[in-house]
Amino acid sequence: MTELPHPPASSAAPLQPAADDAPPFDLLAGRSFDPSGPLDPTGHLRGRQRLSRIMQAIQTGSAIVALAVLAIVIYSVAAHGAGALSVGFFTQSPPVNPEGAGGGIAPELVGTVLLMIVATAIALPTGILIALYLTEFAPPKVASALRLILDLLNGVPTILIGLVLFGLLVAGHGETGFYASLALAIIMLPLIARAAQEMLLLVPTGMREAADALGVTRWRTVRGVVLPSAIGGILTATILAVARAAGETAPLILLSDVFGRAVTFGIFGQALPNIPVYILEASEQASRYGFARAWGAAFVLLAFIALASLGGRVLMARSRAKLVQ
Amino acid sequence: MSGGSGSLSPALGPAAAARGPWSAGRARGTKTDRFGDALLKSLCAAASLLAVVILGAIFYQVLDGASAAFSQLGIGFLVHEVWQPNFGHFGAATFIYGTVVVSLVTMVIAVPLAISIGLYLSTTASGRVRSVVGPLVEMLAAIPSVILGFWGLIVLAPFLQAHAEPFLHSTLGFLPLFGKGETTGLGLFTASLILTIMVVPIVAAISRDLFLTVPKDLQDGAIALGATRWEVVRGVILPSAASGVVAAAFLGLGRALGEAIATLQVIGGGNFIHASLFGTGGTLASRIAEDALGTPYALQLSAVFYLGAILLAMELVLNLAAQAIMRRFDAFSAVAAR
């Protein structure tokens, strides 16, 4: 490296007043500036703003793509499925020959409703108790570990839940609707527990403290104060969990997929007909009439799920707002 | 409820009355209260323990079911390509390959799309549009996989076979990845697209929530310095939410890995590795579902559990990583929000 030049010699020069022969320092040198002109960006700034607009257009486009896919799927299901709907579709059994015309999905409809009722009856109380443990009783470290467990349980592929119950209960004994309900309950459990925990956390601490100050014991506080204020949100979360589990197919193909054509009410002892497995099997068979019934069944299932999840969402916002205010 | 007003009640009985009004009321209340507290607490603890037991049982059962196949087929199971249960050939390589390829293609399409939607919902869209478009995008995640798979089989696959695949093959066909397609349109590519539809709403919803937690002060500061909207996104929002977005992508990937039914319907059920994306194949989850539909032989069932164990290990790693990042992120954003 050569030695740097002595600083004062170079830096002193600009500080001196400009000599008369030097051109005056001019911001606008080389540019034409019209103060009365429009304030449009020029040069580099214009490029940056153009890039910004392009990126925003890409974002809007992505959202439009997602909405378009949703619209196409719903349109396909509605267009193919609406034609299959009739009174008989809801009251009759599928035809003896699965590739034949006519018939309905009454057994599947009844079976899916039964499966969901039993699964909810198992998952809802258990989920609420877990949420209560998380918010009211557990020490912070235990609560954090339990939340992790619930999140991991939520991440287990549903087909594996079916596979485990198949190996544990079905292999060598036969399928029953109850096992399918158990699998659905395991799928719903972490969803209900985490959502219930969030609703319980929204219950103002002041209400708990007021109960404490009156000498009310913990369980009476839970029963009289905490649960009543959170129960609306918890039930809404349950609706959302039901919407999620109602279309769940993977565990059912292992636990409740060999069923007859009759409307079945007994959940113990035999497999229950259900809509998801019906759609899957019809889609594997490649017959025109089977497809038509499968589209009809898909339409019924999708309509229920759309109503439940949109309605649940509206109710959820309402009960959340009630707690937060 | 449990106060000391017992002296006014004649129902307390003579024994309680003899001990004086206050002690009587308190004695009764304390007993019920203590019992109720203990009962509620133990019920809650039992329910929580049940969740732990369920998770433990799932892991134990999957490993236990796989043990027979593991002792017979060994670690070579992972690299054998052929899956022909009738001949006693079991190999997971086709399905591991299928899982990896399908997940990669899915993530390559889904993550940029989902981040872009997340940005739209958190920055670009106005409040009213946001409150309509957001739930609709999440609606995509609510479509049951069996319906999406059915739609993919009947509507999407013929369309891809007729239009998209010939186009991709003719423009990018010099890559073996875009080789000649099947006549049905079923295959790895179709499965990736169906999984993309399932993954996008999940990642988009999480990343929107993440972007909304980026402190407004930082964004306002950037705007005050003359940054354009995109520069705020690139310079402030994306960097501070980046790790969270990675976690969201992991969660989405976990969903894609574990989806069995829709994949089964559109992947075409191939038993060999094809170089082309348009060829048939299988993922771990779809093979489990496919063999579960039949009645598997003893060793086949154990081999299916072996596939399940591989899948479970993948899911565990992904979910733990996502949770670790999310928790750090939660702590970070809690600090930032203060």
Side-chain angles (χ1 to χ4, degrees):
Chain A
M1 288 292 287
T2 52
E3 211 173 306
L4 289 170
H6 199 250
S10 57
S11 69
L15 290 177
Q16 290 166 357
D20 284 346
D21 55 337
F25 182 62
D26 185 6
L27 264 177
L28 303 173
R31 308 172 192 209
S32 60
F33 178 66
D34 175 13
S36 64
L39 288 171
D40 284 339
T42 51
H44 190 50
L45 181 58
R46 186 192 288 184
R48 287 166 54 204
Q49 292 199 336
R50 191 177 295 152
L51 178 69
S52 181
R53 273 196 296 274
I54 291 173
M55 288 326 233
Q56 283 185 319
I58 291 178
Q59 291 164 17
T60 314
S62 311
I64 291 174
V65 167
L67 294 187
V69 169
L70 178 70
I72 292 172
V73 173
I74 289 181
Y75 172 78
S76 304
V77 172
H80 288 98
L85 298 187
S86 64
V87 178
F89 190 70
F90 293 99
T91 56
Q92 292 171 2
S93 292
V96 183
N97 170 13
E99 308 196 348
I105 55 161
E108 285 73 19
L109 214 51
V110 171
T112 289
V113 170
L114 273 179
L115 286 179
M116 293 320 301
I117 290 176
V118 176
T120 311
I122 300 171
L124 179 58
T126 319
I128 292 181
L129 285 176
I130 294 178
L132 281 175
Y133 186 71
L134 280 171
T135 53
E136 312 290 322
F137 298 110
K141 273 193 177 163
V142 177
S144 160
L146 188 55
R147 277 201 303 273
L148 180 64
I149 299 266
L150 288 174
D151 288 340
L152 288 182
L153 191 57
N154 192 24
V156 173
T158 53
I159 183 82
L160 290 186
I161 294 176
L163 193 62
V164 164
L165 288 182
F166 178 83
L168 206 58
L169 303 169
V170 174
H173 303 282
E175 303 179 337
T176 77
F178 180 67
Y179 298 154
S181 286
L182 267 186
L184 295 177
I186 294 177
I187 293 168
M188 290 166 72
L189 185 63
L191 300 174
I192 295 181
R194 288 307 302 267
Q197 182 221 355
E198 275 174 29
M199 296 312 294
L200 290 176
L201 282 178
L202 286 181
V203 175
T205 330
M207 289 171 69
R208 288 192 182 87
E209 285 166 354
D212 283 351
L214 289 172
V216 181
T217 49
R218 186 60 70 82
W219 76 280
R220 286 189 201 273
T221 309
V222 167
R223 202 192 63 182
V225 177
V226 176
L227 270 187
S229 18
I231 196 71
I234 295 176
L235 291 181
T236 313
T238 308
I239 296 178
L240 293 176
V242 168
R244 160 85 199 281
E248 197 56 65
T249 320
L252 300 187
I253 63 173
L254 283 146
L255 302 173
S256 183
D257 77 321
V258 185
F259 44 77
R261 295 175 45 251
V263 175
T264 317
F265 287 102
I267 58 162
F268 303 100
Q270 71 267 307
L272 277 183
N274 56 80
I275 295 181
V277 171
Y278 181 79
I279 297 174
L280 178 65
E281 291 187 342
S283 80
E284 304 264 293
Q285 271 160 0
S287 95
R288 192 156 62 89
Y289 300 112
F291 278 170
R293 276 192 302 277
W295 279 117
F299 183 66
V300 172
L301 183 61
L302 191 59
F304 165 74
I305 287 173
L307 282 181
S309 56
L310 282 182
R313 194 175 288 279
V314 172
L315 288 177
M316 183 67 111
R318 192 179 293 173
S319 47
R320 196 178 287 261
K322 208 183 280 176
L323 275 178
V324 170
Q325 76 180 358
Chain B
M1 278 181 259
S2 63
S5 60
S7 63
L8 298 176
S9 158
L12 274 177
R19 270 189 276 132
W22 285 105
S23 66
R26 280 204 358 235
R28 186 185 68 148
T30 319
K31 211 176 229 172
T32 341
D33 285 352
R34 212 183 280 156
F35 178 69
D37 260 4
L39 181 68
L40 181 65
K41 189 170 180 183
S42 46
L43 271 179
C44 290
S48 309
L49 197 61
L50 183 67
V52 179
V53 168
I54 290 174
L55 187 67
I58 289 174
F59 276 89
Y60 175 76
Q61 282 298 322
V62 168
L63 292 179
D64 187 48
S67 62
F70 188 78
S71 60
Q72 282 199 35
L73 306 168
I75 204 87
F77 183 67
L78 302 180
V79 292
H80 281 298
E81 192 190 321
V82 183
W83 180 273
Q84 283 172 331
N86 298 348
F87 301 95
H89 295 306
F90 298 101
T94 303
F95 313 119
I96 295 176
Y97 171 82
T99 305
V100 170
V101 168
V102 167
S103 309
L104 271 182
V105 176
T106 301
M107 296 322 275
V108 164
I109 307 173
V111 168
L113 199 60
I115 293 177
S116 186
I117 294 173
L119 285 172
Y120 174 77
L121 291 175
S122 58
T123 60
T124 305
S126 64
R128 188 168 295 177
V129 176
R130 200 178 290 182
S131 63
V132 174
V133 175
L136 282 178
V137 171
E138 286 177 49
M139 216 9 242
L140 265 183
I143 300 176
S145 56
V146 68
I147 294 183
L148 214 48
F150 188 44
W151 175 79
L153 183 71
I154 311 268
V155 180
L156 183 64
F159 172 80
L160 290 178
Q161 195 265 329
H163 301 100
E165 289 180 5
F167 170 74
L168 285 171
H169 179 58
S170 62
T171 47
L172 296 166
F174 56 89
L175 296 168
L177 213 52
F178 295 96
K180 208 144 179 51
E182 304 278 323
T183 49
T184 53
L186 301 178
L188 299 174
F189 183 64
T190 315
S192 305
L193 287 187
I194 291 291
L195 289 180
T196 302
I197 298 178
M198 305 177 119
V199 169
V200 161
I202 299 173
V203 181
I206 302 177
S207 36
R208 172 200 56 194
D209 293 348
L210 289 168
F211 297 149
L212 286 174
T213 63
V214 175
K216 198 83 182 68
D217 297 357
L218 292 180
Q219 302 181 40
D220 289 347
I223 291 172
L225 289 173
T228 62
R229 283 207 190 195
W230 167 246
E231 284 161 355
V232 174
V233 168
R234 230 194 62 175
V236 177
I237 296 181
L238 283 183
S240 51
S243 63
V245 171
V246 171
F250 280 1
L251 289 179
L253 181 56
R255 179 78 203 275
L257 286 181
E259 178 49 51
I261 297 300
T263 318
L264 166 72
Q265 283 167 293
V266 296
I267 206 164
N271 287 357
F272 300 96
I273 294 179
H274 298 275
S276 169
L277 276 183
F278 306 138
T280 60
T283 66
L284 292 166
S286 80
R287 173 45 67 179
I288 295 172
E290 191 159 359
D291 282 24
L293 275 175
T295 30
Y297 311 91
L299 181 59
Q300 184 183 0
L301 183 61
S302 187
V304 166
F305 270 99
Y306 200 162
L307 294 179
I310 302 170
L311 179 59
L312 196 57
M314 288 179 171
E315 290 282 350
L316 183 67
V317 170
L318 273 180
N319 274 282
L320 281 179
Q323 295 302 335
I325 298 173
M326 276 297 191
R327 280 175 187 220
R328 221 182 45 197
F329 199 85
D330 276 354
F332 163 77
S333 59
V335 170
R338 218 176 276 153

